[in-house]
Amino acid sequence: MSALLESLNVQQRAAASHLEGPLLILAGAGSGKTRVITHRVAWLVKEAGVSLSEILAVTFTNKAAGEMRSRVAKLLGAGAEEVWISTFHSAGVRMLREHGEAVGVPPGFVIYDDSDQLSLIKRILKDSGTDTSFITPRTVRSRIDYAKSCGLGPDAMDIDRGDPTGEEVREIYRRYQAALRSSGAVDFGDLLVETVSMLRNHSAVLDAYRRRLRFFMVDEFQDTSPVQYELVRLLAGPAENLVVVGDDDQSIYGWRGADVRNILSFETDYPKARVIRLEQNYRSTQVILDAAHAIIEKSPERKKKRLWTERRGGDLLELIAAKDEVEEARLAAFRVELLSNTVPRNEIAILYRTNAMSRVVEDALRARRVPYQVVRGRSFYERAEIRDLTAYLRLAVNPHSDADLLRIINTPRRGIGSRTVERLRSAGDEAGTSLWSVIWDSHKPLDLGQAASRRVRSFAELIRALHDLVIKGSSAYEVVKESMIRSGLVAAFESDVSEEGRERLENLTELLAVAAQREDEGYSLVDLLDEMALLGDADEKVEGERVALMTLHAAKGLEFDVVMMLGVEERTLPHARVFTDTAAFEDPEALAEERRLCYVGFTRARSKLVLGMARTRWVMGSRQVRGASRFLGELPAELLGERSRAQPRYERACGSLGRHESQGVEVHPSKEEIILDYSFDQRPEVEEVAPRPGGRVRHSLLGDGEIRRVDGFGHNARFEVRFDSGSVKRVLARYLQVLW
């Protein structure tokens, strides 16, 4: 045996010492795949006599590529930099710089990033007179990017018959590509599309690369798009010296073009392919691995494998069941505080399905003074859409805030350009007044031209209307809701069908949930804004070890001693996108990807896994009943912790947090309790309150009472209730449970 491979297990050695022909390495989570790739590079050079410059290894991130280069350098020493290790896009840049003129790409091309793409698309939409309220620039960019991930130009785009904007997007795509060419530019999609076109249509270029490169390796193969797979297939050619490493159970990026069928069909594409399974896990306990397997084994299409470890046993899974997302976050924060006595904070991660879910978690951690960091994302209150909405709210309180006015005078776009803004600023400087005084209080007509003056006046009337709401004493909830709608932010994000657009809308409605919760605590809009500002300051000053907060997607590739997964409920995980609008059936592919996402979350944990859920959750502007995720129902009972009551201890520790603390909630109920409390079989619906005078209701803090009067309809209706304690209160419907 080569001394180079002594530290590897039997399967790892077999993979690392593979010489020629196609090889599929099915590398389960935590099975040491990077170790195998780097040792194979070293083995090819030291034992098989392969030249350093004959090897190409590609992966997805610069960080992963950098780590791979560092490990290879330690194994090979001097000259290791000759091995070509890069991301897919970096490889495309290098090839196009060398031979791109063959497909009309100049050697000095510039690369447009996301912002450049949007600017160009906006210009095309404007020049073509396209109604951007119907087709947004972000939607167009998303569709173009997806088409390019599939290797499709405008003429080859797959347009459904029922797609009302498809042909228009196709024409914009054509103009977009023409504009890129005339500017000597490419976008990130072109780095691969143009490279594939170059290799496919110019045999001399392809032959040159095949003579130079003989051995190809692809990391994270389950995340490859069709165009990425085509690139490596072309390069590998008839020799088929292609080694791919991946795990179909961790394919979670279908929404951005990844195609799990690439790894599932590899043996069909390469009938001579050898398959090696890496099933020994070096990360997690057997309890965690068994739980993860119970979820993933029900995936309809997968390569069979089962992870095992020498770390037998381990802590059983913990379950947190809460009445709503606020209580779930507070219980999680309390659990984190206890765990941090024995586990470093930077070895604890809290995971959630969408970015909007971080807000209540951040609030709970701040309240307990637990330092945290939002990983691969921004703190909730620092996200652009939240800052935009906050600017509207601050102007509603104080229209003379120039910084806030400048931020949103043209957000969302309302045709007030930079030249108009500069004229307004100059007028304010000359008069020594605020911009608000210039556009509203001044009796002097604006010297802007008729169209610009009309747009500025319309904006001023919008701010004045919001300011009037504050003057009239409207609630924080009402002002936030009206600001979201009247500003046009909601309409802008509703028309954006991209993943980013949906997340931004979710974030806006999450801030509306904050206002609703604080209203019940007696907060005014000014109180709410003050709290947000102070929380932001406190967050910036936190130092030392931090708990990691991130989405399940962002957690891919990371690992922690303790992982807490919140929102393990139907329509949260699995996400509501699995269901059709009518909830008549489920999308099997979307559900399979949600299952893989759950598996990825489980396998981030080394020693402890805590799962959380809420009976109700504020989602997209309404409070909805949530049923426990089907994934919880699939867990073997023996993997779940025994029934325990941590509540008295919790109450003592949380007594200073305010009157919203729960009473008598079981932090870690048994699986049997959860099945009783949550329905696994019935699809949860939005909670509908059907109140009537004389009916009985229950409030979590005030207890039971009798309805005396009802004003309004739905969740925003106000009940006048005489509680059994003798007090009479007016309470919003969404905070009451109708008993009969």
Side-chain angles (χ1 to χ4, degrees):
M1 179 195 303
S2 167
L4 185 65
L5 306 181
E6 284 181 353
S7 63
L8 306 183
N9 65 37
V10 174
Q11 289 74 26
Q12 289 174 334
R13 284 198 296 270
S17 59
H18 175 84
L19 181 57
E20 295 183 328
L23 170 65
L24 169 61
I25 303 174
L26 292 171
S31 62
K33 66 179 179 61
T34 303
R35 186 177 179 82
V36 169
I37 295 172
T38 53
H39 276 72
R40 180 169 187 262
V41 171
W43 185 87
L44 286 173
V45 173
K46 287 188 172 183
E47 303 295 334
V50 175
S51 171
L52 290 162
S53 60
E54 292 181 315
I55 302 170
L56 170 61
V58 290
T59 187
F60 279 82
T61 67
N62 290 317
K63 180 181 178 181
E67 181 182 353
M68 202 177 293
R69 281 192 290 266
S70 176
R71 292 197 191 186
V72 168
K74 289 179 181 179
L75 292 171
L76 291 179
E81 65 276 3
E82 289 187 41
V83 179
W84 189 354
I85 300 174
S86 84
T87 65
F88 274 100
H89 290 95
S90 294
V93 170
R94 181 168 167 179
M95 293 181 185
L96 288 176
R97 295 287 184 208
E98 293 177 347
H99 301 288
E101 286 182 296
V103 287
V105 178
F109 63 83
V110 296
I111 303 171
Y112 276 13
D113 61 15
D114 289 352
S115 179
D116 297 321
Q117 281 184 275
L118 276 179
S119 296
L120 178 54
I121 291 170
K122 287 174 183 177
R123 190 166 71 243
I124 293 170
L125 291 173
K126 181 180 178 181
D127 292 344
S128 63
T130 303
D131 182 0
T132 54
S133 64
F134 191 55
I135 302 179
T136 68
R138 290 184 184 277
T139 297
V140 173
R141 185 186 68 181
S142 179
R143 294 190 64 170
I144 290 175
D145 287 348
Y146 189 84
K148 290 187 177 184
S149 74
C150 297
L152 304 176
D155 294 334
M157 280 185 72
D158 186 15
I159 306 297
D160 293 333
R161 290 183 179 179
D163 183 353
T165 63
E167 289 302 329
E168 196 161 0
V169 171
R170 188 200 302 276
E171 182 56 32
I172 295 167
Y173 188 0
R174 289 194 185 101
R175 297 185 183 187
Y176 172 79
Q177 286 303 110
L180 285 177
R181 283 299 180 96
S182 65
S183 301
V186 297
D187 61 18
F188 276 87
D190 285 335
L191 293 176
L192 301 179
V193 171
E194 296 291 3
T195 300
V196 166
S197 175
M198 176 182 71
L199 297 176
R200 184 184 289 150
N201 298 315
H202 297 273
S203 57
V205 176
L206 178 59
D207 290 343
Y209 280 113
R210 285 178 176 174
R211 286 193 300 270
R212 186 194 311 180
L213 300 167
R214 294 176 52 215
F215 296 90
F216 302 89
M217 283 175 279
V218 182
D219 189 19
E220 302 287 4
F221 187 61
Q222 76 280 349
D223 294 332
T224 53
S225 66
V227 72
Q228 289 165 334
Y229 187 20
E230 182 64 13
L231 174 61
V232 294
R233 289 189 67 180
L234 283 167
L235 290 171
E240 298 187 343
N241 289 330
L242 174 61
V243 174
V244 299
V245 187
D247 181 8
D248 54 301
D249 291 338
Q250 298 186 70
S251 180
I252 59 174
Y253 297 116
W255 49 273
R256 70 182 188 193
D259 192 341
V260 69
R261 289 173 295 185
N262 290 347
I263 192 169
L264 294 176
S265 64
F266 186 80
E267 294 165 86
T268 301
D269 296 339
Y270 292 93
K272 298 179 181 179
R274 181 183 179 190
V275 179
I276 296 176
R277 289 173 169 79
L278 304 184
E279 296 175 296
Q280 183 174 359
N281 178 278
Y282 294 91
R283 176 188 302 162
S284 306
T285 65
Q286 192 63 53
V287 166
I288 292 171
L289 296 180
D290 288 345
H293 183 74
I295 303 300
I296 201 63
E297 70 173 341
K298 293 179 175 58
S299 189
E301 286 187 88
R302 64 183 292 263
K303 300 286 188 180
K304 288 189 177 181
K305 67 189 88 66
R306 180 158 191 163
L307 296 179
W308 63 275
T309 179
E310 293 179 348
R311 296 181 63 191
R312 296 298 173 186
D315 289 353
L316 297 178
L317 274 60
E318 295 185 19
L319 296 170
I320 293 175
K323 68 176 185 290
D324 57 27
E325 72 276 14
V326 175
E327 183 177 77
E328 178 193 42
R330 288 177 175 173
L331 291 171
F334 171 66
R335 194 72 185 96
V336 166
E337 191 173 43
L338 292 180
L339 288 167
S340 62
N341 291 325
T342 56
V343 180
R345 289 194 186 98
N346 59 355
E347 284 295 344
I348 302 174
I350 300 178
L351 312 182
Y352 34 79
R353 179 61 180 82
T354 64
N355 279 309
M357 295 172 67
S358 79
R359 195 272 308 168
V360 288
V361 180
E362 291 183 61
D363 286 353
L365 292 174
R366 284 182 175 124
R368 302 204 64 79
R369 299 184 182 278
V370 176
Y372 68 89
Q373 179 179 358
V374 180
V375 179
R376 297 186 191 176
R378 286 161 290 178
S379 173
F380 179 84
Y381 295 107
E382 291 299 312
R383 292 167 189 157
E385 59 274 17
I386 297 302
R387 291 174 65 89
D388 290 341
L389 181 53
T390 301
Y392 278 103
L393 299 177
R394 286 201 290 250
L395 286 172
V397 174
N398 174 23
H400 294 279
S401 174
D402 279 1
D404 291 311
L405 193 147
L406 285 171
R407 180 180 180 89
I408 49 84
I409 191 171
N410 198 40
T411 302
R413 292 185 65 183
R414 49 177 59 91
I416 302 176
S418 57
R419 187 173 302 176
T420 298
V421 173
E422 193 56 42
R423 288 183 179 178
L424 293 173
R425 293 184 66 176
S426 296
D429 291 341
E430 290 175 7
T433 62
S434 68
L435 285 171
W436 176 250
S437 296
V438 172
I439 66 176
W440 182 264
D441 293 341
S442 176
H443 298 291
K444 185 178 178 180
L446 300 175
D447 183 22
L448 300 173
Q450 185 176 359
S453 294
R454 184 174 64 253
R455 296 185 187 111
V456 170
R457 176 58 62 179
S458 176
F459 169 75
E461 289 171 351
L462 160 65
I463 300 302
R464 182 66 199 190
L466 297 178
H467 185 50
D468 286 343
L469 289 175
V470 175
I471 293 174
K472 293 174 183 177
S474 298
S475 68
Y477 176 86
E478 188 69 19
V479 179
V480 172
K481 183 181 73 171
E482 291 301 314
S483 297
M484 288 170 55
I485 296 171
R486 298 191 191 190
S487 67
L489 289 171
V490 168
F493 295 136
E494 281 182 337
S495 65
D496 182 358
V497 298
S498 69
E499 186 80 2
E500 184 179 5
R502 286 191 292 270
E503 280 202 354
R504 289 185 168 191
L505 183 58
E506 287 180 357
N507 289 336
L508 287 186
T509 56
E510 183 66 10
L511 186 56
L512 185 62
V514 176
Q517 291 156 3
R518 296 299 185 264
E519 177 186 334
D520 203 41
E521 298 173 24
Y523 276 44
S524 68
L525 178 60
V526 173
D527 293 333
L528 177 63
L529 291 172
D530 286 347
E531 180 185 69
M532 290 165 62
L534 291 172
L535 288 175
D537 290 342
D539 188 40
E540 290 179 3
K541 294 176 183 176
V542 170
E543 297 178 355
E545 294 179 346
R546 298 165 180 254
V547 174
L549 273 61
M550 69 194 82
T551 64
L552 287 163
H553 284 99
K556 176 80 166 11
L558 303 178
E559 57 185 79
F560 302 89
D561 281 346
V562 177
V563 167
M564 305 184 75
M565 281 176 57
L566 304 185
V568 189
E569 311 137 6
E570 289 291 296
R571 293 182 175 267
T572 304
L573 183 69
H575 194 268
R577 73 187 182 94
V578 166
F579 309 99
T580 64
D581 292 338
T582 61
F585 63 89
E586 300 168 351
D587 180 341
E589 291 187 8
L591 178 59
E593 185 157 315
E594 293 293 303
R595 183 177 294 281
R596 296 192 292 266
L597 190 59
C598 183
Y599 173 83
V600 166
F602 277 30
T603 54
R604 299 312 94 196
R606 297 193 195 102
S607 302
K608 182 179 287 292
L609 178 61
V610 182
L611 307 175
M613 70 203 79
R615 290 179 184 272
T616 69
R617 188 173 296 275
W618 185 276
V619 181
M620 300 299 286
S622 66
R623 181 155 295 282
Q624 299 181 8
V625 172
R626 285 308 205 227
S629 171
R630 67 193 68 193
F631 303 146
L632 287 177
E634 294 166 359
L635 294 174
E638 62 270 17
L639 300 181
L640 301 177
E642 293 296 322
R643 176 176 177 176
S644 63
R645 288 183 179 272
Q647 193 61 28
R649 188 178 179 189
Y650 169 76
E651 287 175 352
R652 289 196 299 272
C654 300
S656 62
L657 289 183
R659 59 189 181 87
H660 266 273
E661 300 305 330
S662 61
Q663 302 295 319
V665 174
E666 293 206 343
V667 183
H668 311 298
S670 68
K671 181 183 178 185
E672 287 72 18
E673 274 190 294
I674 289 177
I675 293 175
L676 289 173
D677 287 347
Y678 296 83
S679 169
F680 288 103
D681 300 319
Q682 295 181 2
R683 197 180 314 284
E685 303 292 345
V686 175
E687 184 177 22
E688 294 295 341
V689 179
R692 62 186 184 279
R696 297 282 292 175
V697 292
R698 176 171 295 160
H699 188 276
S700 60
L701 298 173
L702 301 174
D704 294 354
E706 180 180 319
I707 303 172
R708 297 179 56 178
R709 179 178 174 181
V710 179
D711 294 322
F713 302 93
H715 292 288
N716 293 323
R718 290 183 180 273
F719 291 4
E720 182 178 291
V721 181
R722 177 182 290 279
F723 289 95
D724 295 348
S725 62
S727 64
V728 177
K729 302 286 186 182
R730 287 177 60 79
V731 185
L732 289 174
R734 59 179 173 273
Y735 297 116
L736 293 171
Q737 176 187 357
V738 175
L739 301 177
W740 52 267

